[in-house]
Amino acid sequence: MIWAMFFLLLTLTLPFNALVLSCLGIAILAERLPLHIGSGDWLYLSLLAYSITCLQLVYCLFFASAIALVYMLRLSPKKRELPFIPFLMIGYLIVLFFIHP
């Protein structure tokens, strides 16, 4: 419900682009198929897609995955699943402040 409110607000104020639509499509697929990344992660990426480019989104996923891998290997070796949205947020901040289009 919270995601829907933010998505509606962004849709009404910013132009809708293909990157947002593709993230939504992958979220639907992640709900139906076992993609090992939750649909909530892709819904969060659809919100981020309003403010960054496609290449920046790829960098965001790369940094988030790298940080999550280090976390899994060093800090939490016994966990098999972890929430990915905090790592996506860190990746987004890295892209936002250090990677320019």
Side-chain angles (χ1 to χ4, degrees), residues 66-86:
I67 295 167
L69 181 64
V70 169
Y71 177 79
M72 288 292 288
L73 291 176
R74 299 299 251 165
L75 301 176
S76 179
K78 295 183 183 189
K79 279 185 150 182
R80 291 287 181 208
E81 293 184 8
L82 70 152
F84 197 59
I85 289 182

Side-chain angles (χ1 to χ4, degrees), residues 25-39 42:
I26 295 173
I28 293 169
L29 284 176
E31 189 66 33
R32 306 269 186 241
L33 303 172
L35 297 180
H36 302 293
I37 182 168
S39 59
W42 286 104

